């Protein structure tokens, strides 16, 4: 009965490869997010989707492409992986548009991506 | 743009003692929320406490309470009766279209 799940939890790959991280939430939330946590533990928003529509696209290389097939899923595809992409990627979800009343975000367990 | 500043990279407290983690923020929003999230070694992000900016009363959740000073844009977290399980990274965050996080404070609770 995991609320927000991510697969895989660990991903080790070579530079130049393409990889995907999947995220699913069973909370019935309308909004989903991807955050990146770097080696210094700093967390930064990458993308936000509301009902399958892109809301936020921070300054992220276009090698990163989120895809939301339905409002319960938000996957992250990364092309041509680089060393600097190594990080922990967190998926999260919330009831409505971020910043609205009661907008607690529920986080997945994170995916540790290591690019060699 | 919203910024959140946590000026204490690391802190240590003895079990059963009280510790306060500092956070300041800057926002142009009128209606916003402030949060403290905990990230233990398991890496899971866990909401500790939430404060609605238009509420003057400080939020409290069991051993966790905040000191919210809106004019000073300060939002500190007090942990009373610290327990070993409180050892974690603590992130202060403000709400906008997404959460804006501070750089975190690593808290170590020692026996």
């Amino acid at each position: 009965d995991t609320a927000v799940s991510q697969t895989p939890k660990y991903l080790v790959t070579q530079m130049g490869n393409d990889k995907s991280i999947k995220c699913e939430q069973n909370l019935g939330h309308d909004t989903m997010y991807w955050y990146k946590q770097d080696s210094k533990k700093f967390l930064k928003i990458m993308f936000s989707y509301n009902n399958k529509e892109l809301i936020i696209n921070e300054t992220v290389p276009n090698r990163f492409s989120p895809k939301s097939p339905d409002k319960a899923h938000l996957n992250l595809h990364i092309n041509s992986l680089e060393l600097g992409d190594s990080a922990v990627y967190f998926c999260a979800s919330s009831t409505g548009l971020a910043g609205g009343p009661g907008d607690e975000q529920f986080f997945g367990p994170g995916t540790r991506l290591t690019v060699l | 743009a919203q910024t959140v500043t946590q000026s204490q990279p690391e802190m240590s407290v003895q079990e059963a003692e009280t510790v306060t983690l500092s956070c300041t923020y800057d926002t142009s929003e009128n209606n916003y929320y402030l949060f403290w999230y905990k990230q233990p070694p398991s890496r899971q992000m866990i909401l500790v406490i939430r404060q609605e900016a238009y509420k003057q009363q400080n939020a409290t959740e069991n051993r966790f309470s905040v000191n919210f000073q809106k004019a000073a844009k300060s939002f500190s977290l007090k942990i009373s009766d610290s327990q070993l399980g409180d050892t974690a990274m603590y992130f202060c965050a403000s709400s906008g279209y997404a959460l804006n996080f501070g750089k975190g404070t690593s808290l170590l609770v020692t026996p």
Side-chain angles (χ1 to χ4, degrees), chain A residues 9-10 33 35 37 41-43 45 56 88 90 98-105 107-110 112, chain B residues 31-33 35 37 39 42-47 50 54 89 91 95-103:
Chain A
K9 286 198 173 64
Y10 297 92
Y33 312 82
Y35 290 87
Q37 186 173 41
K41 303 280 190 179
F42 183 55
L43 273 153
I45 184 69
I56 299 171
V88 179
F90 284 95
D103 200 23
E104 176 182 350
Q105 292 192 21
F107 285 78
R112 180 177 293 281
Chain B
N31 182 23
Y32 57 91
Y33 283 68
F35 305 83
Y37 276 86
Q39 187 178 40
S42 67
R43 180 172 93 197
Q44 180 68 49
M45 293 289 290
I46 302 164
L47 178 66
R50 174 179 49 181
Y54 63 87
M89 282 288 289
F91 293 97
S95 66
Y97 285 107
L99 290 173
N100 300 287
F101 286 95
K103 293 190 175 181

Side-chain angles (χ1 to χ4, degrees), chain B:
Chain B
Q2 298 192 17
T3 58
V4 176
T5 303
Q6 294 179 249
S7 57
Q8 305 150 314
E10 296 179 347
M11 294 193 72
S12 179
V13 64
Q14 281 197 312
E15 215 175 351
E17 298 289 305
T18 295
V19 64
T20 298
L21 309 183
S22 301
C23 173
T24 58
Y25 65 93
D26 192 12
T27 179
S28 56
E29 302 285 336
N30 289 322
N31 182 23
Y32 57 91
Y33 283 68
L34 298 164
F35 305 83
W36 279 97
Y37 276 86
K38 168 185 176 181
Q39 187 178 40
S42 67
R43 180 172 93 197
Q44 180 68 49
M45 293 289 290
I46 302 164
L47 178 66
V48 174
I49 200 164
R50 174 179 49 181
Q51 175 78 42
E52 298 166 58
Y54 63 87
K55 285 191 176 179
Q56 294 199 351
Q57 186 173 5
N58 289 325
T60 300
E61 287 287 342
N62 301 315
R63 298 182 295 107
F64 299 88
S65 61
V66 298
N67 183 2
F68 175 46
Q69 302 288 329
K70 191 171 183 178
K73 294 185 177 177
S74 170
F75 183 60
S76 61
L77 175 70
K78 185 171 84 171
I79 306 174
S80 305
D81 186 24
S82 296
Q83 300 176 358
L84 296 178
D86 294 335
T87 291
M89 282 288 289
Y90 286 82
F91 293 97
C92 180
S94 67
S95 66
Y97 285 107
L99 290 173
N100 300 287
F101 286 95
K103 293 190 175 181
T105 296
S106 178
L107 177 67
L108 176 65
V109 181
T110 58

Side-chain angles (χ1 to χ4, degrees), chain A residues 34-51:
Chain A
W34 278 108
Y35 290 87
K36 178 181 180 180
Q37 186 173 41
D38 63 23
S39 59
K40 296 183 179 178
K41 303 280 190 179
F42 183 55
L43 273 153
K44 188 171 168 58
I45 184 69
M46 299 175 69
F47 300 103
S48 168
Y49 270 71
N50 179 263
N51 274 320

Side-chain angles (χ1 to χ4, degrees), chain A residues 45-49 54-62 64 66:
Chain A
I45 184 69
M46 299 175 69
F47 300 103
S48 168
Y49 270 71
L54 180 65
I55 302 298
I56 299 171
N57 183 352
E58 289 294 305
T59 308
V60 176
N62 57 15
F64 290 78

